[in-house]
Amino acid sequence: MAEAIVGGGHGPREVLLVELAGESSRLHGRLLRELGRAGIRARWHGNLEGPGSRPATLPALLQHLAGVCGAAVDGGELPLLLSPDQSATVSAWQGVARAREAHGRIGLILIDARLDAEAPEDGPGIADEHQILPRLLGESTAAGDAPFPCLDPGCVCVVAAREWTSAEVERVSRLGVRVFGLSEVRRRGFAATFCDALSIARSAAGGFVVSLDLSALDERQLSAESLATALHALRECPDLLAFEIARAQVAPEWSSEFAVAALGLSSRTLRALEDCHGAHNYDPLPVVFARGKGVWLWDVSGRRYLDMMSAYSAVSLGHGHPRLLDVLSRQAARLSLTSRAYSNDRLPLLLERLCELFGYEAALPVNTGLEAVETALKAARKWAYRVKGVAPDAARIIACDGNFHGRSIAIVGLSSDDQYRDGFGPFPPGLERIPFGDADALEAAITPQTAAFLVEPIQGEGGIRLPLAGWLARCAEICRRHHVLLIADEVQTGLGRTGKLLACAHEGVRPDGVIVGKALGGGLLPVSAFLADRAVMDVFAPGDHGSTFGGNPLAAAVALETLDVITDENLCEHAAGAGERFRRALEGLLGGAVRDVRGRGLFIGVDLDPSRLDAHHAAQCLLERGILTKDTHGTVLRFAPPLVIEQDELDWAAGVIIDTLERLQRDAVVAG
């Protein structure tokens, strides 16, 4: 494989945009903008046939093109060539090859519907655009040209060919060119085929070039989306010397997409930028995502992963659900934000829907789950003073050890996690905790000053911890008896994830207040809400609490559609059945390093013995095999896929998870 050539191997590419005459001349402005938005440093050389720059003859033009491309490579730039056809391809690549001549011949990936290896009919010395490969291999030349074999025949591929003659097949076979025909592409998939072609082209000593003829696109046989996904692999190729898009007028919308896919920043560069310019409050797994669809995500190199996290339940309907995208687009064009200084026509409908669906008299919309928890805490305290009669500033809130309600100053004051608290005190008074799952401890902790008991029906970040059956119902009875509000934080468990709309419903509990969020925004927008009856909600007066973006019409429209999708697609029932099958499959791992498999619906945790297996390392190993998960506290792997996941996808995930953990256990035994 050639040494790193462009951008120091993994840095931003310096791109030189070169265009020839034709329809492609309309693209450069848009293309430069899109490249800039993707962080690609690009400059426009200009139209080679534009006013004041047009050479006198075609040979002079082609010679000029070769010089421009060669000089760009010599200067560390990557030529991005826009051409109306492939008539200039040979000259461009000859210029690149001459610049790399000291290192060896170059490789080529030609994505085209034709082989472009037509034999000359009028004898030697006659060449046209249909002789791209023979000319680049030095077998035939244009009139007056000296032979220059710039390509290594063993490093040349034609991908997606579907038009050729028997003479062309014979010719490319003799020259040693590898042809991946369309039938093979359809059978294996474009990504797998392109990966093989990339391995062949990258074996050239001098680097390689890619020529994409958009006439190869045919949505019935080679889709633009599959092509764009595969081209992402070029980002990790520092030995890519140049990239051509021919016949850009065939699909002008996709030309920018293809260029950005191929020339965008590598994962290493993007991670370095984030580390350099971002606060270090996250330590993400080593992957950078560029696209999502349904239950799948693709990284910037084009590799696909099954999303078994769904952004901590925020993407419960999958990535880019078509119904949500349609509503988002239409509402954004109509009205997105007015602030709550005025009313809008979407919010009243969302408030009505929330109250009807969850059985409460009032709802208060905000953005994030943290905001909804803060709203609930403020409501509980003011209720304690105005309704319960607690003395001013004496109200107390009880939560559970192992909770995760957010990371604001007040909320981390309730946390039992030392890291969440370290360096952020002092915390507001009146906050205390009891052991999760201990009803007697709750009863003992309640005093006349207690305003509320804030609890997750299942602790998510705490390790997918479920209390014993009947515990939540007993807590509800204790709270009623002591005139204490029971407030359920259903941000991660709600909206069907556990097999019911709310996890509290598994015990028939109706809390005094419910916090919902994450999934309510359909993975598109932050949307959360606090719901309660009027006896609690009416403690708020105008000006007591608010949010500029809370309840905005765009968020309200998306949330309404999210609730409809959950109902229309029977996602609660699906989560219950599919999650039960998934959990039972994982229970086969019990014993050894796996201490427990627990959860409800599509909210599952695999508890590992840290002395035998580190959960963070296990999550990294699953990432390498295309499964996205995350550990919590280094001991539990959490699995919470989008609720729209199909059973066969879930079965595949279970197989990979089981195989991976079994391998890790065997390796740990051998190492021990």
Side-chain angles (χ1 to χ4, degrees):
M1 186 180 300
E3 77 279 11
I5 296 167
V6 179
H10 292 277
R13 299 185 192 272
E14 301 284 348
V15 173
L16 176 66
L17 180 59
V18 183
E19 65 179 327
L20 302 177
E23 292 296 323
S24 62
S25 63
R26 303 175 184 176
L27 298 174
H28 82 265
R30 173 180 176 177
L31 186 52
L32 284 172
R33 287 193 300 272
E34 292 302 319
L35 291 172
R37 288 169 182 161
I40 303 168
R41 298 170 185 168
R43 67 184 181 92
W44 181 42
H45 178 276
N47 189 321
L48 292 187
E49 289 193 337
S53 63
R54 180 174 182 172
T57 63
L58 179 59
L61 169 66
L62 297 179
Q63 184 178 8
H64 180 49
L65 173 62
V68 167
C69 292
V73 172
D74 271 337
E77 290 182 304
L78 186 148
L80 171 57
L81 178 63
L82 296 180
S83 58
D85 53 43
Q86 290 183 307
S87 59
T89 299
V90 174
S91 297
W93 297 163
Q94 284 179 342
V96 171
R98 289 189 188 279
R100 296 293 298 168
E101 192 171 6
H103 301 273
R105 296 186 187 182
I106 65 174
L108 166 68
I109 298 177
L110 177 63
I111 305 171
D112 198 349
R114 303 173 304 170
L115 288 188
D116 289 320
E118 195 169 292
E121 298 177 356
D122 300 318
I126 305 298
D128 58 25
E129 66 169 295
H130 300 298
Q131 293 185 345
I132 292 174
L133 293 178
R135 290 175 62 194
L136 286 170
L137 291 168
E139 187 177 75
S140 65
T141 63
D145 280 357
F148 178 61
C150 60
L151 295 181
D152 182 337
C155 304
V156 177
C157 307
V158 181
V159 182
R162 61 177 179 268
E163 301 173 17
W164 61 75
T165 66
S166 57
E168 286 182 305
V169 172
E170 185 277 329
R171 194 175 200 188
V172 296
S173 298
R174 174 168 49 80
L175 295 173
V177 174
R178 176 69 163 91
V179 178
F180 296 92
L182 189 60
S183 59
E184 182 176 357
V185 171
R186 285 200 300 262
R187 184 179 72 255
R188 300 177 55 205
F190 189 84
T193 308
F194 188 74
C195 183
D196 286 353
L198 200 54
S199 296
I200 293 171
R202 295 193 71 190
S203 64
F208 74 104
V209 296
V210 175
S211 180
L212 167 60
D213 190 326
L214 296 192
S215 65
L217 290 178
D218 184 337
E219 290 301 319
R220 297 167 301 175
Q221 303 177 81
L222 176 59
S223 72
E225 185 176 282
S226 64
L227 176 55
T229 298
L231 289 175
H232 277 80
L234 295 173
R235 295 185 177 202
E236 306 295 336
C237 300
D239 46 341
L240 174 65
L241 300 168
F243 187 71
E244 176 191 26
I245 302 177
R247 301 179 219 277
Q249 70 274 16
V250 172
E253 308 84 9
W254 281 101
S255 295
S256 298
E257 185 80 17
F258 295 145
V260 169
L263 306 179
L265 305 188
S266 68
S267 59
R268 182 181 300 183
T269 298
L270 289 164
R271 284 172 59 83
L273 287 172
E274 183 176 351
D275 183 67
C276 178
H277 300 290
H280 295 168
N281 58 321
Y282 275 94
D283 183 21
L285 289 170
V287 64
V288 179
F289 291 115
R291 186 170 71 88
K293 185 176 183 180
V295 298
W296 299 95
L297 286 164
W298 285 262
D299 67 14
V300 294
S301 300
R303 188 183 177 198
R304 190 177 76 157
Y305 302 78
L306 182 62
D307 188 355
M308 294 294 288
M309 275 292 291
S310 60
Y312 298 96
S313 299
V315 191
S316 281
L317 302 188
H319 300 274
H321 194 291
R323 284 177 56 176
L324 299 187
L325 291 179
D326 179 60
V327 166
L328 179 74
S329 175
R330 288 190 287 111
Q331 184 62 41
R334 182 171 173 265
L335 181 65
S336 59
L337 179 66
T338 61
S339 92
R340 293 296 303 282
Y342 316 97
S343 295
N344 66 75
D345 64 347
R346 296 292 93 192
L347 178 58
L349 303 181
L350 174 61
L351 297 176
E352 178 186 42
R353 183 88 167 96
L354 288 170
C355 291
E356 289 179 348
L357 192 61
F358 296 106
Y360 289 91
E361 294 175 351
L364 196 161
V366 288
N367 304 294
T368 65
L370 180 149
E371 289 179 72
V373 173
E374 288 277 359
T375 302
L377 294 179
K378 289 176 70 174
R381 281 182 164 179
K382 194 163 188 180
W383 172 86
Y385 303 136
R386 296 295 173 83
V387 177
K388 187 174 180 177
V390 175
D393 298 332
R396 304 188 67 79
I397 306 289
I398 300 173
C400 292
D401 291 335
N403 75 76
F404 183 80
H405 300 292
R407 291 191 179 96
S408 69
I409 290 290
I411 294 173
V412 297
L414 284 167
S415 178
S416 59
D417 191 305
D418 291 339
Q419 181 182 3
Y420 295 160
R421 300 170 60 89
D422 184 29
F424 299 117
F427 303 107
L431 307 174
E432 57 188 297
R433 298 187 307 273
I434 62 168
F436 182 66
D438 189 338
D440 292 336
L442 173 63
E443 181 121 41
I446 291 176
T447 71
Q449 289 74 42
T450 301
F453 175 44
L454 174 65
V455 64
E456 300 160 277
I458 301 174
Q459 288 190 337
E461 193 64 17
I464 318 296
R465 297 176 61 205
L466 282 74
L468 293 175
W471 175 73
L472 190 62
R474 187 177 171 207
C475 289
E477 184 275 325
I478 292 171
C479 288
R480 281 194 301 271
R481 181 155 37 87
H482 289 281
H483 200 33
V484 168
L485 299 178
L486 174 64
I487 300 176
D489 181 349
E490 294 253 15
V491 170
Q492 293 193 32
T493 54
L495 303 191
R497 176 151 299 280
T498 66
K500 293 184 180 293
L501 196 60
L502 293 176
C504 291
H506 288 282
E507 292 200 12
V509 171
R510 181 185 183 274
D512 299 292
V514 169
I515 302 162
V516 293
K518 289 193 186 292
L520 193 57
L524 299 179
L525 297 168
V527 187
S528 298
F530 172 59
L531 294 96
D533 287 339
R534 284 294 175 190
V536 174
M537 198 69 78
D538 281 353
V539 301
F540 287 120
D544 278 358
H545 190 65
S547 167
T548 299
F549 286 90
N552 69 78
L554 185 61
V558 169
L560 278 165
E561 191 67 16
T562 295
L563 295 172
D564 286 344
V565 169
I566 291 170
T567 301
D568 296 346
E569 298 186 7
N570 299 312
L571 294 183
C572 293
E573 295 82 354
H574 175 66
E580 175 72 10
R581 176 165 164 170
F582 179 63
R583 181 176 56 80
R584 288 184 180 277
L586 296 184
E587 284 175 348
L589 289 165
L590 287 170
V594 178
R595 299 185 297 194
D596 194 13
V597 176
R598 55 183 179 255
R600 279 204 178 106
L602 290 173
F603 199 45
I604 306 296
V606 177
D607 191 356
L608 304 179
D609 181 348
S611 67
R612 300 187 179 192
L613 201 57
D614 178 71
H616 182 71
H617 175 63
Q620 289 183 311
C621 292
L622 287 169
L623 177 71
E624 292 171 2
R625 299 192 65 182
I627 297 285
L628 296 178
T629 182
K630 185 72 170 63
D631 72 286
T632 175
H633 302 294
T635 60
V636 179
L637 293 172
R638 52 186 295 161
F639 299 102
L643 306 187
V644 295
I645 192 169
E646 299 288 348
Q647 189 65 62
D648 60 341
E649 294 166 329
L650 206 52
D651 291 344
W652 174 81
V656 174
I657 294 164
I658 292 169
D659 181 66
T660 300
L661 294 182
E662 287 178 342
R663 289 186 188 184
L664 289 173
Q665 290 187 74
R666 288 195 298 269
D667 292 345
V669 171
V670 171

